[in-house]
Amino acid sequence: MKFEVTILGSSSATPIFNRNPTAQALNVNDRLYLIDCGEGTQQQMLRFDVKASRIDHIFISHLHGDHYLGLVGLLSSMHLNGRKKALKIYCPPQLKEIIDLQLRYSETILQYPVEFKFTDPGARELILDNQDVTVESIPLDHRIACTGFLFREKKRQRKLLKDKLDQAAVPVEYYSALKKGADYVSPDGKFFENDALTVDSDEPKTYVYCSDTAYNEGYFTQISNATVLYHEATFLNDMLDRAAETYHTTALQAARIAQKTNAKKLLIGHFSARYKTLNDLLDEAKSVFPDTELAIEGKTFVIGD
Ligand SMILES: [Zn+2]
Ligand SMILES: [Zn+2]
């Protein structure tokens, strides 16, 4: 089962130093979930081979331009490229108004259905549940309404123990029932409990996306034990006051959050334009949480690696 994220943009506010505003493509079993869509996201998708036709769900954390200004362009290209299948957008309610207005004045009627699921910035809600994942909104603490997103793999079926199945001479047609937890009785009446023939699958992995936010313990419980935690780290800690003022987080704070919430791995991003190079941000985070990496353009991280 594939579960990996490709970073399309790592910059806060403006595009600079080859860094684009925020966007990420999460690949779950070759279905793509686009998370935020800053300006230039389409170019980044072409550059890093992220196919728009495979995206059926788009998540927009909040309405600061660096997180959604690429969206109308992407919707328009999907239309021009002949898309017919539905697209679902999870976003603040006002985004629909913005999209409708832009389409109305260009007299564009999209040739595919767009379904909206509006996020409630004050609520932790299950917003998507399909065969591969569940997604919860995470109430964050930003200047305007902002939610993060918690992606959790679906629990997989039990794993077959091949040698035990062979020993018990279990016919192949029973495998599917065994994976679902059924016991087995052989033709000569011998009883096998399920856990003599199978083992439980691994715990589902999670990808936690914490978009723009101030350091706030309110969301720590919800994001705890993340397999991979992406957290914004706009500033170095010597800009702590500025971070608080603008409802952002420092690299050191992001690392403390990863540590306190028991994340397995931390990705940091949303870097301020004041930093031409990012080593200091990485070093600062690593001083507290060693398993930190920079979420920079073109990097793909396998979740659970
Ligand atoms: Zn931002
Ligand atoms: Zn913001």
Side-chain angles (χ1 to χ4, degrees):
M1 178 163 172
K2 200 180 258 187
F3 196 29
E4 61 186 38
V5 65
T6 298
I7 309 302
L8 303 173
S10 72
S11 186
S12 70
T14 56
I16 195 164
F17 308 131
N18 287 323
R19 303 199 297 260
N20 267 68
T22 302
Q24 303 187 356
L26 184 72
N27 183 328
V28 189
N29 286 336
D30 289 324
R31 292 185 183 88
L32 299 182
Y33 301 73
L34 185 67
I35 313 171
D36 281 336
C37 188
E39 177 192 346
T41 296
Q42 289 195 77
Q43 286 287 358
Q44 295 293 80
M45 287 167 58
L46 293 170
R47 204 167 147 205
F48 302 121
D49 199 26
V50 172
K51 297 201 167 45
S53 58
R54 288 222 218 124
I55 298 173
D56 292 334
H57 304 273
I58 299 179
F59 299 81
I60 302 294
S61 62
H62 67 301
L63 294 183
H64 280 150
D66 55 324
H67 296 259
Y68 85 92
L69 287 179
L71 183 62
V72 174
L74 177 62
L75 299 184
S76 173
S77 296
M78 285 172 162
H79 166 75
L80 296 171
N81 291 332
R83 184 183 178 108
K84 292 283 179 277
K85 63 177 172 167
L87 180 73
K88 198 136 188 198
I89 303 179
Y90 307 78
C91 61
Q94 298 85 350
L95 184 59
K96 182 175 187 304
E97 205 181 315
I98 294 169
I99 293 169
D100 286 349
L101 190 75
Q102 296 213 12
L103 295 176
R104 191 194 314 153
Y105 288 117
S106 66
E107 298 184 8
T108 304
I109 297 166
L110 295 179
Q111 295 301 300
Y112 58 92
V114 177
E115 296 161 21
F116 288 90
K117 165 83 186 161
F118 298 136
T119 47
D120 175 348
R124 169 184 169 173
E125 285 180 313
L126 181 69
I127 53 174
L128 170 63
D129 185 349
N130 66 19
Q131 73 269 36
D132 295 319
V133 281
T134 58
V135 186
E136 285 174 27
S137 59
I138 308 168
L140 297 176
D141 183 10
H142 197 39
R143 257 178 307 162
I144 59 171
C146 185
T147 58
F149 302 104
L150 189 162
F151 297 81
R152 189 188 308 276
E153 273 184 321
K154 276 284 169 73
K155 175 95 176 152
R156 281 178 260 176
Q157 295 186 331
R158 295 181 68 81
K159 290 194 243 182
L160 301 175
L161 296 169
K162 278 283 178 194
D163 51 336
K164 306 279 183 196
L165 296 172
D166 291 346
Q167 276 170 26
V170 180
V172 176
E173 55 264 34
Y174 287 92
Y175 285 8
S176 154
L178 287 169
K179 285 186 197 167
K180 292 184 181 111
D183 300 321
Y184 172 68
V185 184
S186 68
D188 58 3
K190 213 167 159 208
F191 181 81
F192 294 86
E193 279 195 30
N194 184 278
D195 59 12
L197 303 170
T198 71
V199 283
D200 201 5
S201 58
D202 301 331
E203 271 310 296
K205 300 182 188 87
T206 55
Y207 180 59
V208 173
Y209 176 81
C210 287
S211 187
D212 297 10
T213 185
Y215 181 100
N216 182 326
E217 299 199 349
Y219 57 87
F220 286 12
T221 310
Q222 188 186 3
I223 69 168
S224 62
N225 303 312
T227 313
V228 174
L229 168 64
Y230 165 84
H231 202 286
E232 73 123 294
T234 308
F235 300 109
L236 283 167
N237 211 55
D238 60 3
M239 300 283 291
L240 191 61
D241 292 347
R242 177 90 183 124
E245 230 171 76
T246 54
Y247 290 84
H248 284 300
T249 310
T250 68
L252 194 74
Q253 287 178 316
R256 286 199 182 123
I257 293 167
Q259 190 185 47
K260 282 194 174 191
T261 63
N262 194 34
K264 289 195 181 62
K265 184 187 194 69
L266 172 65
L267 307 180
I268 53 171
H270 198 265
F271 307 115
S272 164
R274 68 176 51 243
Y275 305 114
K276 185 160 188 189
T277 61
L278 304 171
N279 291 342
D280 290 348
L281 289 141
L282 182 62
D283 290 346
E284 184 174 282
K286 277 188 158 180
S287 71
V288 170
F289 194 83
D291 200 354
T292 303
E293 290 195 57
L294 296 170
I296 48 172
E297 285 73 1
K299 272 256 193 185
T300 294
F301 299 94
V302 175
I303 293 148
D305 223 13

